[in-house]
Amino acid sequence: MADDLRPQLATLISRHRSLVVLLGTIPREASGDHTCTDIGELSNEERRLRADIIAWSPRNEPEAREKLIYLASFVAATGASFDAESLDAILKSVERFF
């Protein structure tokens, strides 16, 4: 029953993608305390959602593929990388399906 209460992977991905796009449109030289605070809050939310996606335990093979495809596209689009701990968590979460 607890699984029914957690958000769907597609919802997490959609929210994360929107934040990545939004953060990508904000000029790096944005100034002013209010703006910096807003950017910091958005960045924190992006990191939290990314961590939620990394930690997501897929329920089936299509969901495992969705997770991997999204994370690969995130890396390709942003140039970001994952640390060893995150990579281990990603691989362990999908290994039973492949």
Side-chain angles (χ1 to χ4, degrees):
M1 188 67 148
D3 283 346
D4 296 339
L5 298 178
R6 67 183 187 162
Q8 297 296 310
L9 179 61
T11 302
L12 292 175
I13 286 173
S14 177
R15 290 172 47 204
H16 183 256
R17 182 182 293 122
S18 295
L19 275 175
V20 169
V21 169
L22 178 62
L23 287 167
T25 64
I26 298 173
R28 295 286 177 214
E29 63 275 357
S31 60
D33 291 335
H34 182 70
T35 302
C36 290
T37 300
D38 291 345
I39 294 170
E41 289 173 10
L42 291 173
S43 294
N44 288 340
E45 178 69 2
E46 182 276 323
R47 283 190 295 273
R48 187 191 65 72
L49 286 168
R50 185 177 354 136
D52 288 349
I53 294 167
I54 289 169
W56 184 270
S57 207
R59 297 175 182 136
N60 51 43
E61 185 179 332
E63 199 170 78
R65 287 185 189 282
E66 180 181 16
K67 175 179 176 170
L68 291 176
I69 290 167
Y70 178 70
L71 291 174
S73 66
F74 167 74
V75 168
T78 64
S81 61
F82 296 112
D83 60 24
E85 185 178 326
S86 294
L87 284 173
D88 188 51
I90 293 166
L91 292 174
K92 284 182 179 175
S93 74
V94 300
E95 70 184 350
R96 68 183 175 183
F97 299 109
F98 302 104

